[in-house]
Amino acid sequence: MTQEELLEQIYKKDSKAFTLLYDMYSKSLYGVIYNLLKDKEESEDVLQEVFVKIWKNLDTYNDKKGRFFTWILNIARNASIDRLRSKSHNNSKKNLSSDNFVHILDHNTSTTNKIDAIGIKQFIQKLKPKCIRIIDLLFFKGYTQKEASEELDIPLGTVKTQNRNCIKELRNILQA
């Protein structure tokens, strides 16, 4: 079954297709969640919440805006960050670098997940060092823009502008 066929079945609220989706992506999402939370039980709870969100919000996924894996990865990342903030964790001590994030995805046993992860590290490494640092803080370590501003000791507006420019540059690299 292709991913498109699987998504069609899930749109129809087919529970068997959803189970297959869980089997395909749960290990990758759990790895990302665990590396943010550093707690097995909390990570399992957040993973369950993530799949409930996927089930309830599937109609908001737009394949023209990005790949499905990226969409669910963002749901997992955001849910993990929400959990961290609700517990007042210190992000700078609880997260991994982008190199470790890519390593987790690259070594997942699912072929589909490996295909989604191929090249992430290479694309990010093509960016300017300031972009690598901003993307690492904002997307892989879960910093807010304000926290990144404080960490980098630059104005908040500069972080916002550089983030926007770095994402634009990454899009250009990906489209080339």
Side-chain angles (χ1 to χ4, degrees):
M1 179 180 291
T2 67
Q3 182 173 305
E4 291 77 23
E5 293 170 334
L6 180 62
L7 290 176
E8 285 178 28
Q9 292 302 312
I10 294 171
Y11 280 124
K12 296 176 184 175
K13 300 296 182 186
D14 181 338
S15 61
K16 289 180 184 176
F18 190 74
T19 300
L20 183 57
L21 179 81
Y22 181 88
D23 292 341
M24 288 173 64
Y25 293 111
S26 62
K27 288 180 183 176
S28 291
L29 296 180
Y30 177 81
V32 170
I33 294 165
Y34 182 81
N35 283 303
L36 286 166
L37 299 179
K38 306 283 193 235
D39 180 274
K40 185 179 184 237
E41 287 181 22
E42 269 193 300
S43 298
E44 290 170 353
D45 288 345
V46 171
L47 180 65
Q48 183 176 3
E49 291 171 17
V50 166
F51 275 95
V52 169
K53 287 179 183 179
I54 292 168
W55 180 257
K56 289 182 176 179
N57 299 312
L58 189 64
D59 58 333
T60 65
Y61 167 65
N62 182 346
D63 63 351
K64 291 174 180 55
K65 291 185 178 181
R67 294 189 301 189
F68 180 72
F69 181 74
T70 305
W71 183 71
I72 64 173
L73 186 64
N74 282 327
I75 292 172
R77 182 184 153 279
N78 292 340
S80 300
I81 291 168
D82 289 346
R83 180 66 61 99
L84 279 173
R85 290 185 180 145
S86 72
K87 295 280 188 173
S88 301
H89 285 114
N90 182 346
N91 287 334
S92 65
K93 294 179 183 176
K94 297 289 182 184
N95 299 299
L96 296 174
S97 73
S98 59
D99 289 338
N100 289 331
F101 177 85
V102 172
H103 173 77
I104 291 163
L105 292 175
D106 282 343
H107 289 89
N108 191 289
T109 56
S110 168
T111 304
T112 304
N113 294 339
K114 282 183 181 178
I115 290 169
D116 281 323
I118 290 172
I120 291 174
K121 184 176 182 181
Q122 290 78 18
F123 286 121
I124 292 173
Q125 295 304 320
K126 290 179 183 180
L127 296 172
K128 297 173 192 165
K130 70 177 181 179
C131 287
I132 293 170
R133 183 73 174 133
I134 286 175
I135 287 174
D136 182 53
L137 290 175
L138 296 176
F139 294 96
F140 297 116
K141 290 187 176 177
Y143 279 48
T144 64
Q145 290 179 338
K146 183 178 183 214
E147 291 166 337
S149 166
E150 292 167 1
E151 176 74 19
L152 298 171
D153 197 28
I154 58 177
L156 178 60
T158 303
V159 169
K160 290 179 178 185
T161 301
Q162 286 181 357
N163 180 40
R164 189 171 41 253
N165 292 339
C166 292
I167 296 301
K168 185 177 180 180
E169 184 179 334
L170 186 58
R171 276 193 192 118
N172 291 336
I173 290 171
L174 291 170
Q175 292 174 349

